[in-house]
Amino acid sequence: MALLPILRYPDPRLHTVATPVTEFNDALRELVRDMAETMYEAPGVGLAATQVNVHKRLVVIDVSEDKSALRAFINPEIVARAGEQMCEEGCLSVPGIYERVSRAERVTVRAFDEHGKPFELDAEGLLAVCIQHEIDHLDGKVFVEYLSSFKLNRIKTKLAKKARITA
Ligand code: GNR
Ligand code: NI
């Protein structure tokens, strides 16, 4: 088990488009375990491989209160979406920033688990938001990029100031 370093916005590597997983082997399962450990330690409810600088289509999500609903979504695809919800989102790659983003209220996601078994899941609420947020990471998109350029610039200034203090 290992904790993986998380890339911070505006690291350009967060804009990499991830490629599909082709081999469901022990190395993949070890990556899933390390990503889960990293997510729980952060703590967060989801983590995309992109955020740990692995550009493969793989995310882990657990929106439960007691770490009881860990799931890996490998090569995930949203095959249906319905409705709209506004949710205040945060991101482990954009620490300290929380902003409301519009998402589909319900999604159906098709993916493979870490053993290569396909599954389909209907999600709503926070789980649906999280699935959309994580798949965006795999496509090189960070949630703050949905905001107005005014808000995004304000966030960039804030993060730059914070980076100067921590550096
Ligand atoms: O931990 C996280 N919380 C969260 C809250 C609202 C909407 C999305 C998220 S995902 C985030 C973890 C993360 O950055 N995943 O990429
Ligand atoms: Ni995120």
Side-chain angles (χ1 to χ4, degrees):
M1 298 279 269
L3 291 177
L4 307 170
I6 297 176
L7 299 179
R8 296 284 180 91
Y9 189 83
D11 191 311
R13 291 172 291 182
L14 287 169
H15 297 130
T16 312
V17 178
T19 58
V21 169
T22 53
E23 274 198 82
F24 295 82
N25 54 20
D26 287 345
L28 178 78
R29 287 181 282 275
E30 185 175 351
L31 177 60
V32 167
R33 284 195 298 272
D34 289 346
M35 283 175 56
E37 190 186 3
T38 303
M39 172 184 76
Y40 287 131
E41 199 269 343
V45 296
L47 187 69
T50 307
Q51 293 175 277
V52 294
N53 202 29
V54 175
H55 301 289
K56 294 277 170 59
R57 302 194 75 83
L58 153 64
V59 314
V60 292
I61 295 178
D62 186 350
V63 297
S64 73
E65 302 259 294
D66 57 354
K67 303 186 177 186
S68 63
L70 178 65
R71 248 178 203 281
F73 295 78
I74 299 171
N75 301 340
E77 276 184 69
I78 293 175
V79 296
R81 49 183 89 226
E84 199 207 321
Q85 62 178 323
M86 290 286 286
C87 177
E88 178 154 288
E89 298 194 19
C91 181
L92 297 174
S93 295
V94 198
I97 305 292
Y98 302 90
E99 295 283 350
R100 283 158 59 83
V101 171
S102 163
R103 301 281 192 184
E105 161 61 15
R106 289 180 301 282
V107 298
T108 303
V109 62
R110 215 173 267 166
F112 295 86
D113 72 11
E114 62 272 38
H115 304 287
K117 189 177 166 220
F119 66 92
E120 201 174 278
L121 179 76
D122 292 316
E124 59 179 28
L126 178 60
L127 179 57
V129 170
C130 198
I131 288 167
Q132 294 170 79
H133 176 117
E134 302 311 337
I135 293 177
D136 274 351
H137 276 303
L138 302 183
D139 292 327
K141 183 144 184 154
V142 180
F143 85 102
V144 291
E145 293 161 356
Y146 286 110
L147 305 173
S148 67
S149 59
F150 173 77
K151 273 194 176 177
L152 182 56
N153 281 325
R154 208 173 51 186
I155 287 166
K156 283 181 176 166
T157 306
K158 190 171 164 182
L159 292 172
K161 273 189 193 148
K162 206 168 74 173
R164 245 180 288 149
I165 296 163
T166 16

